[in-house]
Amino acid sequence: MTGLGPGEGATSGPPLARTTLDRAAHRRTDPEWIAQAWLRSRVVVLDSTADGRALVRGDPPHLVLVAPDDLPHPPDRQPGPIFLGVEPDGVPVFAVDAALPTVSGARAVNLRDVGHLLDDRDADILTTAVALTNWHLRHGFSSTTGEPTEPDEAGWSRVDPAGGRAWPRTDPAMIVLVHDGVAGPQGRCLLGNNAAWPTQRGRLRFSCLAGFVEPGESAEAAVVREVREEVGVAVDDIRYAGSQAWPFPGSLMLGFLARADPTEPVRVDPTEIAAARWFTRTEIAAALADDPVDAGDGRRVTLPMASSIAHFLIEHWLTRPV
């Protein structure tokens, strides 16, 4: 495997890979400091009962953060205030899972919808808040004893009655843009439609191939295995392109590009992939511009949402020489 050189790619990195907060991890175990920090903090409110939505204003959108006193009532949902870190101006930032407050001119959005439109600071805050909130929602009980757990360390761990502690985890998954190594408009990439995706009338969504890294397996080995399993194609020249959190509910997506022979038959595993085909750069550019591209059955091709690393990989390949 080789890495991508500096300056290669359509953008500086995947859209949800940007960070500006000082996470100040040493403060998480200092309850007195956390209590004082809460009083002078900025707070992002997420509503887990409404698909993890938060408030934004403007176009492009900017995340709405409020003061603790501006919350309609004290946060009463677990895990309570989660300490996300400290901004460059020294102000602490917290997240709470609660009903969204009423803020003039604000609208409720999901990270999937606006992650790519937010600036670095807001993307960092919202991605981290969603990831931690989703982790708490899924870990209310100990995996070893079955006992209920309580949040601790300012939202960065959970503890059972015997003192057993669990920390947030993310599941590593690989995602790969398979291409033919050919330069120019007729160079091709191989995309698939996941069998689990909901049907869209008149449209068929294609994306990069992806899968979880299995125990005892490297990310590169997972690329080879998943592509072979899903579409029956062998890949080589595997290149790492970047990573980003995908907190739905808790994955770390490791992005790659890999080369394959387009004359090799594509044989999909129907339990995983409903359809797969090669697309030229010309077709991908048209689809990204929302121009009609036939999926092969009369339906129109759509591509991944702009906040996803799949979209980043497709754009990255589109603008590279090969």
Side-chain angles (χ1 to χ4, degrees), residues 3 20 64 85 97 120 143 154 166 174 180 185 206 217 220 235 240 251 262-263 271 281 286 322:
T20 64
V64 173
D97 180 3
D120 292 356
S143 62
M174 73 84 213
D180 63 0
F206 284 86
E217 185 177 51
E220 296 82 7
V235 295
Y240 176 69
S251 298
T263 66
T271 63
R281 278 192 176 85
V322 292

PDB file of all heavy atoms in Angstrom, residues 3 20 64 85 97 120 143 154 166 174 180 185 206 217 220 235 240 251 262-263 271 281 286 322:
ATOM      1  N   GLY A   3       0.684   5.722   0.150  1.00  0.00           N
ATOM      2  CA  GLY A   3      -0.186   6.816   0.530  1.00  0.00           C
ATOM      3  C   GLY A   3      -0.283   7.859  -0.554  1.00  0.00           C
ATOM      4  O   GLY A   3       0.488   7.863  -1.510  1.00  0.00           O
ATOM      5  N   THR A  20     -10.910  21.489  15.557  1.00  0.00           N
ATOM      6  CA  THR A  20     -10.345  22.745  16.073  1.00  0.00           C
ATOM      7  C   THR A  20     -10.324  22.775  17.596  1.00  0.00           C
ATOM      8  O   THR A  20      -9.553  23.533  18.188  1.00  0.00           O
ATOM      9  CB  THR A  20     -11.162  23.965  15.586  1.00  0.00           C
ATOM     10  OG1 THR A  20     -12.491  23.890  16.114  1.00  0.00           O
ATOM     11  CG2 THR A  20     -11.234  24.012  14.063  1.00  0.00           C
ATOM     12  N   VAL A  64     -25.781  26.713  16.046  1.00  0.00           N
ATOM     13  CA  VAL A  64     -26.263  27.553  17.144  1.00  0.00           C
ATOM     14  C   VAL A  64     -25.831  26.937  18.458  1.00  0.00           C
ATOM     15  O   VAL A  64     -26.197  25.800  18.777  1.00  0.00           O
ATOM     16  CB  VAL A  64     -27.797  27.692  17.096  1.00  0.00           C
ATOM     17  CG1 VAL A  64     -28.306  28.427  18.336  1.00  0.00           C
ATOM     18  CG2 VAL A  64     -28.231  28.409  15.829  1.00  0.00           C
ATOM     19  N   GLY A  85     -14.699  19.963  24.883  1.00  0.00           N
ATOM     20  CA  GLY A  85     -13.363  20.544  24.821  1.00  0.00           C
ATOM     21  C   GLY A  85     -13.409  22.041  25.045  1.00  0.00           C
ATOM     22  O   GLY A  85     -14.416  22.593  25.490  1.00  0.00           O
ATOM     23  N   ASP A  97     -28.206  16.241  25.323  1.00  0.00           N
ATOM     24  CA  ASP A  97     -29.302  15.606  24.606  1.00  0.00           C
ATOM     25  C   ASP A  97     -30.588  16.106  25.236  1.00  0.00           C
ATOM     26  O   ASP A  97     -30.911  15.767  26.384  1.00  0.00           O
ATOM     27  CB  ASP A  97     -29.176  14.084  24.722  1.00  0.00           C
ATOM     28  CG  ASP A  97     -30.290  13.339  24.001  1.00  0.00           C
ATOM     29  OD1 ASP A  97     -31.141  13.991  23.367  1.00  0.00           O
ATOM     30  OD2 ASP A  97     -30.305  12.097  24.074  1.00  0.00           O
ATOM     31  N   ASP A 120     -14.898  24.437   9.876  1.00  0.00           N
ATOM     32  CA  ASP A 120     -14.132  23.432  10.612  1.00  0.00           C
ATOM     33  C   ASP A 120     -14.565  23.334  12.063  1.00  0.00           C
ATOM     34  O   ASP A 120     -14.724  22.235  12.611  1.00  0.00           O
ATOM     35  CB  ASP A 120     -12.630  23.760  10.552  1.00  0.00           C
ATOM     36  CG  ASP A 120     -12.050  23.591   9.161  1.00  0.00           C
ATOM     37  OD1 ASP A 120     -12.781  23.144   8.254  1.00  0.00           O
ATOM     38  OD2 ASP A 120     -10.863  23.904   8.980  1.00  0.00           O
ATOM     39  N   SER A 143     -21.427  -4.589  29.291  1.00  0.00           N
ATOM     40  CA  SER A 143     -21.319  -5.743  28.390  1.00  0.00           C
ATOM     41  C   SER A 143     -20.788  -6.974  29.109  1.00  0.00           C
ATOM     42  O   SER A 143     -20.886  -8.086  28.580  1.00  0.00           O
ATOM     43  CB  SER A 143     -20.397  -5.398  27.222  1.00  0.00           C
ATOM     44  OG  SER A 143     -19.085  -5.112  27.684  1.00  0.00           O
ATOM     45  N   ALA A 154     -17.208  13.345  32.787  1.00  0.00           N
ATOM     46  CA  ALA A 154     -17.790  14.412  31.962  1.00  0.00           C
ATOM     47  C   ALA A 154     -18.360  13.883  30.656  1.00  0.00           C
ATOM     48  O   ALA A 154     -18.349  14.560  29.632  1.00  0.00           O
ATOM     49  CB  ALA A 154     -16.754  15.503  31.699  1.00  0.00           C
ATOM     50  N   ALA A 166     -16.360   1.523  31.028  1.00  0.00           N
ATOM     51  CA  ALA A 166     -16.282   1.409  29.575  1.00  0.00           C
ATOM     52  C   ALA A 166     -16.091   2.805  28.985  1.00  0.00           C
ATOM     53  O   ALA A 166     -16.656   3.784  29.486  1.00  0.00           O
ATOM     54  CB  ALA A 166     -17.553   0.781  29.013  1.00  0.00           C
ATOM     55  N   MET A 174     -13.697  -0.046   6.405  1.00  0.00           N
ATOM     56  CA  MET A 174     -13.009   0.453   5.232  1.00  0.00           C
ATOM     57  C   MET A 174     -14.033   0.828   4.162  1.00  0.00           C
ATOM     58  O   MET A 174     -15.136   0.263   4.089  1.00  0.00           O
ATOM     59  CB  MET A 174     -12.002  -0.575   4.714  1.00  0.00           C
ATOM     60  CG  MET A 174     -12.579  -1.793   4.022  1.00  0.00           C
ATOM     61  SD  MET A 174     -12.928  -1.430   2.294  1.00  0.00           S
ATOM     62  CE  MET A 174     -14.367  -2.448   2.030  1.00  0.00           C
ATOM     63  N   ASP A 180      -9.954   1.887 -12.588  1.00  0.00           N
ATOM     64  CA  ASP A 180      -9.201   1.091 -13.557  1.00  0.00           C
ATOM     65  C   ASP A 180      -7.800   1.623 -13.826  1.00  0.00           C
ATOM     66  O   ASP A 180      -7.071   1.049 -14.649  1.00  0.00           O
ATOM     67  CB  ASP A 180      -9.978   0.974 -14.872  1.00  0.00           C
ATOM     68  CG  ASP A 180     -10.199   2.323 -15.567  1.00  0.00           C
ATOM     69  OD1 ASP A 180      -9.754   3.356 -15.028  1.00  0.00           O
ATOM     70  OD2 ASP A 180     -10.824   2.329 -16.655  1.00  0.00           O
ATOM     71  N   PRO A 185     -11.093  11.351 -19.354  1.00  0.00           N
ATOM     72  CA  PRO A 185     -12.548  11.222 -19.230  1.00  0.00           C
ATOM     73  C   PRO A 185     -13.058   9.793 -19.300  1.00  0.00           C
ATOM     74  O   PRO A 185     -14.118   9.491 -18.759  1.00  0.00           O
ATOM     75  CB  PRO A 185     -13.080  12.046 -20.418  1.00  0.00           C
ATOM     76  CG  PRO A 185     -11.975  12.970 -20.777  1.00  0.00           C
ATOM     77  CD  PRO A 185     -10.706  12.249 -20.466  1.00  0.00           C
ATOM     78  N   PHE A 206     -25.693   4.900  -6.263  1.00  0.00           N
ATOM     79  CA  PHE A 206     -24.450   4.143  -6.332  1.00  0.00           C
ATOM     80  C   PHE A 206     -23.410   4.803  -5.443  1.00  0.00           C
ATOM     81  O   PHE A 206     -23.358   6.034  -5.345  1.00  0.00           O
ATOM     82  CB  PHE A 206     -23.932   4.082  -7.775  1.00  0.00           C
ATOM     83  CG  PHE A 206     -24.673   3.116  -8.642  1.00  0.00           C
ATOM     84  CD1 PHE A 206     -25.825   3.508  -9.300  1.00  0.00           C
ATOM     85  CD2 PHE A 206     -24.222   1.818  -8.813  1.00  0.00           C
ATOM     86  CE1 PHE A 206     -26.522   2.618 -10.113  1.00  0.00           C
ATOM     87  CE2 PHE A 206     -24.903   0.918  -9.613  1.00  0.00           C
ATOM     88  CZ  PHE A 206     -26.059   1.322 -10.265  1.00  0.00           C
ATOM     89  N   GLU A 217      -7.772  -8.588  11.380  1.00  0.00           N
ATOM     90  CA  GLU A 217      -7.605  -8.201   9.987  1.00  0.00           C
ATOM     91  C   GLU A 217      -7.102  -6.765   9.896  1.00  0.00           C
ATOM     92  O   GLU A 217      -7.524  -5.899  10.662  1.00  0.00           O
ATOM     93  CB  GLU A 217      -8.949  -8.327   9.273  1.00  0.00           C
ATOM     94  CG  GLU A 217      -8.940  -8.081   7.787  1.00  0.00           C
ATOM     95  CD  GLU A 217     -10.314  -8.309   7.169  1.00  0.00           C
ATOM     96  OE1 GLU A 217     -11.302  -7.740   7.695  1.00  0.00           O
ATOM     97  OE2 GLU A 217     -10.421  -9.048   6.183  1.00  0.00           O
ATOM     98  N   GLU A 220      -6.234  -2.867   5.033  1.00  0.00           N
ATOM     99  CA  GLU A 220      -5.929  -3.192   3.643  1.00  0.00           C
ATOM    100  C   GLU A 220      -6.456  -4.579   3.262  1.00  0.00           C
ATOM    101  O   GLU A 220      -6.990  -4.775   2.162  1.00  0.00           O
ATOM    102  CB  GLU A 220      -4.418  -3.113   3.404  1.00  0.00           C
ATOM    103  CG  GLU A 220      -3.843  -1.724   3.580  1.00  0.00           C
ATOM    104  CD  GLU A 220      -3.574  -1.361   5.040  1.00  0.00           C
ATOM    105  OE1 GLU A 220      -3.721  -2.242   5.918  1.00  0.00           O
ATOM    106  OE2 GLU A 220      -3.210  -0.211   5.304  1.00  0.00           O
ATOM    107  N   VAL A 235      -8.414  -6.596  -6.418  1.00  0.00           N
ATOM    108  CA  VAL A 235      -7.849  -5.247  -6.458  1.00  0.00           C
ATOM    109  C   VAL A 235      -6.381  -5.281  -6.059  1.00  0.00           C
ATOM    110  O   VAL A 235      -5.921  -6.181  -5.343  1.00  0.00           O
ATOM    111  CB  VAL A 235      -8.611  -4.279  -5.530  1.00  0.00           C
ATOM    112  CG1 VAL A 235     -10.037  -4.082  -5.997  1.00  0.00           C
ATOM    113  CG2 VAL A 235      -8.579  -4.746  -4.079  1.00  0.00           C
ATOM    114  N   TYR A 240      -4.187   4.629   0.676  1.00  0.00           N
ATOM    115  CA  TYR A 240      -4.974   5.271   1.739  1.00  0.00           C
ATOM    116  C   TYR A 240      -5.247   6.717   1.350  1.00  0.00           C
ATOM    117  O   TYR A 240      -4.358   7.435   0.883  1.00  0.00           O
ATOM    118  CB  TYR A 240      -4.194   5.216   3.048  1.00  0.00           C
ATOM    119  CG  TYR A 240      -4.851   5.923   4.203  1.00  0.00           C
ATOM    120  CD1 TYR A 240      -6.007   5.426   4.777  1.00  0.00           C
ATOM    121  CD2 TYR A 240      -4.309   7.100   4.719  1.00  0.00           C
ATOM    122  CE1 TYR A 240      -6.619   6.069   5.837  1.00  0.00           C
ATOM    123  CE2 TYR A 240      -4.909   7.749   5.790  1.00  0.00           C
ATOM    124  CZ  TYR A 240      -6.066   7.239   6.339  1.00  0.00           C
ATOM    125  OH  TYR A 240      -6.662   7.894   7.390  1.00  0.00           O
ATOM    126  N   SER A 251     -19.028   4.615  13.648  1.00  0.00           N
ATOM    127  CA  SER A 251     -17.969   4.035  12.829  1.00  0.00           C
ATOM    128  C   SER A 251     -16.862   5.050  12.566  1.00  0.00           C
ATOM    129  O   SER A 251     -17.093   6.263  12.583  1.00  0.00           O
ATOM    130  CB  SER A 251     -18.520   3.551  11.478  1.00  0.00           C
ATOM    131  OG  SER A 251     -19.468   2.539  11.654  1.00  0.00           O
ATOM    132  N   PRO A 262     -11.091  -3.789 -15.351  1.00  0.00           N
ATOM    133  CA  PRO A 262     -12.511  -3.688 -15.713  1.00  0.00           C
ATOM    134  C   PRO A 262     -12.996  -4.787 -16.648  1.00  0.00           C
ATOM    135  O   PRO A 262     -14.216  -4.912 -16.865  1.00  0.00           O
ATOM    136  CB  PRO A 262     -12.609  -2.314 -16.384  1.00  0.00           C
ATOM    137  CG  PRO A 262     -11.241  -2.059 -16.910  1.00  0.00           C
ATOM    138  CD  PRO A 262     -10.294  -2.693 -15.928  1.00  0.00           C
ATOM    139  N   THR A 263     -12.059  -5.596 -17.194  1.00  0.00           N
ATOM    140  CA  THR A 263     -12.503  -6.724 -18.016  1.00  0.00           C
ATOM    141  C   THR A 263     -12.867  -7.940 -17.171  1.00  0.00           C
ATOM    142  O   THR A 263     -13.455  -8.894 -17.678  1.00  0.00           O
ATOM    143  CB  THR A 263     -11.402  -7.129 -19.025  1.00  0.00           C
ATOM    144  OG1 THR A 263     -10.264  -7.648 -18.316  1.00  0.00           O
ATOM    145  CG2 THR A 263     -10.977  -5.932 -19.869  1.00  0.00           C
ATOM    146  N   THR A 271     -26.975 -10.623  -1.458  1.00  0.00           N
ATOM    147  CA  THR A 271     -27.333 -10.285  -0.078  1.00  0.00           C
ATOM    148  C   THR A 271     -26.705  -8.964   0.357  1.00  0.00           C
ATOM    149  O   THR A 271     -27.152  -8.361   1.332  1.00  0.00           O
ATOM    150  CB  THR A 271     -26.891 -11.398   0.896  1.00  0.00           C
ATOM    151  OG1 THR A 271     -25.459 -11.508   0.869  1.00  0.00           O
ATOM    152  CG2 THR A 271     -27.517 -12.727   0.513  1.00  0.00           C
ATOM    153  N   ARG A 281     -15.410   8.735 -16.011  1.00  0.00           N
ATOM    154  CA  ARG A 281     -15.322  10.050 -15.366  1.00  0.00           C
ATOM    155  C   ARG A 281     -16.366  10.997 -15.935  1.00  0.00           C
ATOM    156  O   ARG A 281     -16.915  11.841 -15.216  1.00  0.00           O
ATOM    157  CB  ARG A 281     -13.911  10.646 -15.550  1.00  0.00           C
ATOM    158  CG  ARG A 281     -12.877  10.150 -14.566  1.00  0.00           C
ATOM    159  CD  ARG A 281     -11.598  11.005 -14.634  1.00  0.00           C
ATOM    160  NE  ARG A 281     -10.646  10.576 -13.625  1.00  0.00           N
ATOM    161  CZ  ARG A 281      -9.783   9.577 -13.788  1.00  0.00           C
ATOM    162  NH1 ARG A 281      -9.768   8.906 -14.926  1.00  0.00           N
ATOM    163  NH2 ARG A 281      -8.943   9.248 -12.819  1.00  0.00           N
ATOM    164  N   ALA A 286     -21.139  14.136 -14.690  1.00  0.00           N
ATOM    165  CA  ALA A 286     -22.527  14.492 -14.994  1.00  0.00           C
ATOM    166  C   ALA A 286     -23.433  14.230 -13.799  1.00  0.00           C
ATOM    167  O   ALA A 286     -24.279  15.065 -13.445  1.00  0.00           O
ATOM    168  CB  ALA A 286     -23.004  13.708 -16.209  1.00  0.00           C
ATOM    169  N   VAL A 322      -4.945   9.863 -12.666  1.00  0.00           N
ATOM    170  CA  VAL A 322      -5.254   8.469 -12.924  1.00  0.00           C
ATOM    171  C   VAL A 322      -6.146   7.962 -11.798  1.00  0.00           C
ATOM    172  O   VAL A 322      -6.236   8.566 -10.751  1.00  0.00           O
ATOM    173  CB  VAL A 322      -3.984   7.578 -12.990  1.00  0.00           C
ATOM    174  CG1 VAL A 322      -3.179   7.952 -14.217  1.00  0.00           C
ATOM    175  CG2 VAL A 322      -3.153   7.687 -11.729  1.00  0.00           C
TER     176      VAL A 322
END
